[in-house]
């Protein structure tokens, strides 16, 4: 293909990806807990004007640094408080991650590795999914990948002195932004991978190349102002953030997220689909690949991926999205292997996922087995067609990928399989909106009009839905159930009612008041409390009352 035509095709594919990637952000209601939590923190930041101390439902929230809250609050200020604005940062950083692997793949390993890597990453199920969900993992993944990319480019044998300096300072700045996204892992993991690579290669001279003093000055200039300001404003911050949320969280089971060492293996197998067939040979290729010079970029990316995977595997706190930062590196390694692989492997991978897609479509009605009191079968029944659509999209495009692979058209085959992975992931996400009555307070909030003003008490009795304050546009007074805010409530206990007796006294004292209850608990509580209450809204999960 001529260069001019290649550029046109690349721009068309990039434009199509942008439309699909950003065009669905508004289609779903925010769900609990993460989406509601991070959107509400940003909303409260925008409303209060306090950009130093993050707060959730009025309580100090120091679990994570503020970069995503800042960006989302700014988006709310610019565009209004919308679901798509809450998800914008995750989508933007996910999309930029695709562009970053395009650059790094081509710069470090040569074309067409960059183009193939961009396709692999965009089509990976977990990357596509997290890129459309309001969590912090996509932002930190982008910045850690940018830090690793800066380190890699600075070590390339053909890099100029100016390019080395620029790349290293980009790495330091990216590590700083990663720290402001999710904590110290933002610098510890990229730096650790670099040192580990040096130890493996015994290439000691590279330890003298990281522009340490100027890079450290840049890192501190970006990170220190907020850490100093928040520590000065809140005595509780330092111990909670650095000791509890980093050291104790890693070595203890305090958050109830303990899983066995092998936990991330099935997460990787599903999340990195539809490329898992190529992954093992790609890792072997990355280790054995003959060096073109003193620095071995593929081996460095392999060391990075292995170290991050091992780090989170031994941690006592695990969630599926924790290994997301290795996906860009794995995408480049798979792309390197695909660029050299024969048609048999590429066709076999596509055929395997065509079979899997067909199986998903045929077995879609089995999701009804997941029905519970909180997730009724009637909702799951509406989700079945979306699962069928996801499976058929994967089946059709994987079959097309196998056809292109057999014709030795590697780029077309990779593009088709990537499209299948992306559309499968988005179909499952978009279909999840049918389940939103079970996961979002949007629907009950819509039944409360007008929403009581902030100076009217609104109690959340023995329950807390993270999306409720966001959709009410105001905080609520928590009763009995501390949820994840136990320590923050200890710092500001006057804002919390510890039991039903305290709620009854407050309700009796209030001239006007509202409250939300779990629907299954309400009949018993109504009989126990014997308080004047008028039901104003209800759904299968909640009942909202007001004082008559």
């Amino acid at each position: 293909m001529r260069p001019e035509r290649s550029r046109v095709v690349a721009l068309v594919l990039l434009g199509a990806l942008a439309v699909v990637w950003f065009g669905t952000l508004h289609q779903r209601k925010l769900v609990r807990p993460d989406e509601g939590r991070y959107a509400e923190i940003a909303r409260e930041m925008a409303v209060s004007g306090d950009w130093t101390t993050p707060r959730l439902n009025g309580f100090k929230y120091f679990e994570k640094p503020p970069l995503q809250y800042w960006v989302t609050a700014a988006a709310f200020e610019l565009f209004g408080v919308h679901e798509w604005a809450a998800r914008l940062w995750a989508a933007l950083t996910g999309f930029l991650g695709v562009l970053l692997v395009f650059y790094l793949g081509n710069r470090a390993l040569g074309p067409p590795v960059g183009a193939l890597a961009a396709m692999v990453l965009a089509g990976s199920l977990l990357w596509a999914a997290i890129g459309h969900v309001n969590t912090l993992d996509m932002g930190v993944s982008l910045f850690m990948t940018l830090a690793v990319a800066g380190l890699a480019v600075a070590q390339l044998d053909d890099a100029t002195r100016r390019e080395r300096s620029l790349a290293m300072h980009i790495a330091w700045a990216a590590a700083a932004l990663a720290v402001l996204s999710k904590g110290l892992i933002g610098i510890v993991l990229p730096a650790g991978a670099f040192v580990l690579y040096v130890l493996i290669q015994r290439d000691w001279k590279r330890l003298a190349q990281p522009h340490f003093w100027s890079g450290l000055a840049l890192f501190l200039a970006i990170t220190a102002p907020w850490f100093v300001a928040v520590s000065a404003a809140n005595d509780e911050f330092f111990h909670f953030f650095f000791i509890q949320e980093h050291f104790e969280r890693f070595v203890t089971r305090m958050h109830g997220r303990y899983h066995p060492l092998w936990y991330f293996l099935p997460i990787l197998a599903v999340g990195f689909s539809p490329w898992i067939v190529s992954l093992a040979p790609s890792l072997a290729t990355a280790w054995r690949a003959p060096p073109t010079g003193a620095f071995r970029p593929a081996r460095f990316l392999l060391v990075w991926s292995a170290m991050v995977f091992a780090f989170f595997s031994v941690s006592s706190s695990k969630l599926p999205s924790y290994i997301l930062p290795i996906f860009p590196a794995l995408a480049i390694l798979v792309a390197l292997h695909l660029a050299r692989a024969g048609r048999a492997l590429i066709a076999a991978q596509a055929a395997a996922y065509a079979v899997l897609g067909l199986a998903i479509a045929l077995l879609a009605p089995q999701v009804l087995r997941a029905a519970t009191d909180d997730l009724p079968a009637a909702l799951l029944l509406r989700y079945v067609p979306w699962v069928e659509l996801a499976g058929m999209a994967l089946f059709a495009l994987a079959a097309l990928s196998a056809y292109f692979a057999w014709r030795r058209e590697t780029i077309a085959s990779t593009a088709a399989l990537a499209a299948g992975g992306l559309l499968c992931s988005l179909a499952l996400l978009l279909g999840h909106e049918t389940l939103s009555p079970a996961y979002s307070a949007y629907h009950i909030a819509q039944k409360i009009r007008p929403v009581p003003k902030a100076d009217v008490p609104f109690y959340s009795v023995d329950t807390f839905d993270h999306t409720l304050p966001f959709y009410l546009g105001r905080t609520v007074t928590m009763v009995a159930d501390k949820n994840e805010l136990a320590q923050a409530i200890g710092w500001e206990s006057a804002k919390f009612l510890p039991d039903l007796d305290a709620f009854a006294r407050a309700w009796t004292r209030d001239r006007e008041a509202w409250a939300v209850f779990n629907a299954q608990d309400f009949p018993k509580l109504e009989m126990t409390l014997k308080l004047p209450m008028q039901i104003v809204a209800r759904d299968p999960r909640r009942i909202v009352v007001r004082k008559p």
Side-chain angles (χ1 to χ4, degrees), residues 43 95 103 138 145 169 240 296 440 442 449 451 454 464-465 468 499 504 547:
R43 188 197 68 81
F95 188 80
Y103 165 77
M138 188 56 81
T145 301
H169 286 95
F240 182 87
R296 303 180 68 167
S440 178
Y442 167 83
R449 287 292 180 267
V451 173
F464 180 67
D465 187 321
L468 184 61
D499 51 42
K547 189 172 182 179

Side-chain angles (χ1 to χ4, degrees), residues 61 73 100 152 162 164 215 238 274 313 355 360 381 387 430 451 475 488 521 523 531 544:
Y61 194 85
L100 178 57
R162 181 179 180 183
R164 292 181 196 280
F238 184 87
S313 292
V355 172
I360 291 172
L381 189 61
V387 179
L430 289 172
V451 173
T475 59
D521 298 336
L531 296 172
V544 176

